[in-house]
Amino acid sequence: MSDSGKVLLIDGMSFLFRAFYASAWGGGYRQTSTGVYTNAVHGFTKMMLDYADLVKPTHLIVGWDVASRESLVRSQWYDGYKSNRQAPPEELIPQFDLVKEVTEAFSVPNLGCPGFEGDDVLGTLSTSLSADGHQVVIATGDYDSLQLVSDLVSVKILKNGGKHEHYNPASLLTMRGISPEQVVDVKALMGDASDCIPGCPGIGEKTATKLITEHGDLDRLYGNLESCTAKMRSKLEDHRDQVYLSQKLATIIRDVPLEFSLEAAAWEFDRDMVRSKFEELEFGRSLATRVG
């Protein structure tokens, strides 16, 4: 590893939505005395500090979605992409801007690019930074990010109760039976209902994993269909175009046009500035004591 350090990349939307729903399940939304909703921002800040304590990064960056569904690059490839997405709760909407005020108080860069998703931002950053010899840790709730795992890039998948699953190439193979390069091809076959990625009807995760591990990748599977049962061959042939479209939709884009300075992402902050923001948002003592 280069002596330039360790970079923690946070999936902003994953953290913010998880923080919102974790604190909202009982129906009570944290608010300031003037009625500003802060439950998601408070939870996000706690999670960011938790992962910073855990990873001990030298640098920290948050990646964000910044586009409506209709303006996404992937929506141009496939009309149905993420078409099932509901509007966020009204109590969460004002917190999208508020959370960035908090990260800015910590001098943490907020990065996004119109048309692209947070995954693409993290994919571009992790690819570029690891190519320069930096160790990268991605914290996200999205299993798609497992395709980014490498010798220098590990992924922590958020789970309930403040827990996570840690993935590097070895643990990915142990826990899911595939390599980082096979993550997209498994998704191409099984699809993803949450993102409206169609996949191949009738093929679930177990079968998709079996097919890809047996053949190596999607191209070799399609080049060797005669080895499949007649029923499986028929499914795969009938939905070939849909499967390859799903592969394209599931592939994280790693060359998003981002402007960023690693120096500006140093995990160092002005404690007075952070405390002032905490006071403004009436965060209370538990978080304040964590920033000294």
Side-chain angles (χ1 to χ4, degrees), residues 223-239:
N224 196 28
L225 284 182
E226 68 277 2
S227 69
C228 299
T229 64
K231 187 177 178 184
M232 181 60 70
R233 185 163 65 247
S234 174
K235 273 186 203 172
L236 291 168
E237 285 174 341
D238 289 350
H239 298 96

Side-chain angles (χ1 to χ4, degrees), residues 251-285:
T251 300
I252 289 176
I253 298 164
R254 304 193 193 201
D255 57 357
V256 173
L258 294 173
E259 289 184 17
F260 77 99
S261 152
L262 189 58
E263 291 72 28
W267 178 236
E268 300 166 353
F269 53 88
D270 182 323
R271 282 164 173 73
D272 289 336
M273 190 180 297
V274 171
R275 278 197 296 265
S276 173
K277 179 55 72 173
F278 282 9
E279 284 172 18
E280 177 192 328
L281 298 176
E282 300 172 18
F283 273 1
R285 291 187 54 78

Side-chain angles (χ1 to χ4, degrees), residues 111-264:
L111 296 184
C113 185
F116 298 95
E117 297 170 66
D119 279 356
D120 301 320
V121 173
L122 301 185
T124 298
L125 290 170
S126 62
T127 301
S128 169
L129 292 166
S130 60
D132 288 340
H134 300 278
Q135 186 179 346
V136 178
V137 180
I138 297 171
T140 178
D142 195 337
Y143 281 96
D144 286 349
S145 293
L146 297 181
Q147 65 192 267
L148 302 173
V149 166
S150 71
D151 289 341
L152 282 176
V153 179
S154 61
V155 172
K156 293 185 181 296
I157 299 288
L158 308 178
K159 307 297 285 184
N160 290 337
K163 298 176 180 175
H164 69 269
E165 294 171 354
H166 179 80
Y167 288 94
N168 55 30
S171 63
L172 178 59
L173 188 60
T174 300
M175 294 168 71
R176 300 181 80 83
I178 53 176
S179 68
E181 295 75 24
Q182 293 173 323
V183 169
V184 171
D185 287 353
V186 169
K187 178 68 107 23
L189 290 172
M190 64 182 275
D192 183 352
S194 67
D195 287 343
C196 299
I197 294 177
C200 184
I203 293 182
E205 182 175 11
K206 191 173 178 182
T207 302
T209 301
K210 183 172 184 285
L211 287 168
I212 293 303
T213 52
E214 282 178 358
H215 294 273
D217 61 35
L218 204 54
D219 290 342
R220 278 182 277 191
L221 169 62
Y222 270 101
N224 196 28
L225 284 182
E226 68 277 2
S227 69
C228 299
T229 64
K231 187 177 178 184
M232 181 60 70
R233 185 163 65 247
S234 174
K235 273 186 203 172
L236 291 168
E237 285 174 341
D238 289 350
H239 298 96
R240 179 192 295 254
D241 289 349
Q242 187 167 294
V243 167
Y244 274 99
L245 171 62
S246 298
Q247 182 192 48
K248 184 178 182 182
L249 292 170
T251 300
I252 289 176
I253 298 164
R254 304 193 193 201
D255 57 357
V256 173
L258 294 173
E259 289 184 17
F260 77 99
S261 152
L262 189 58
E263 291 72 28

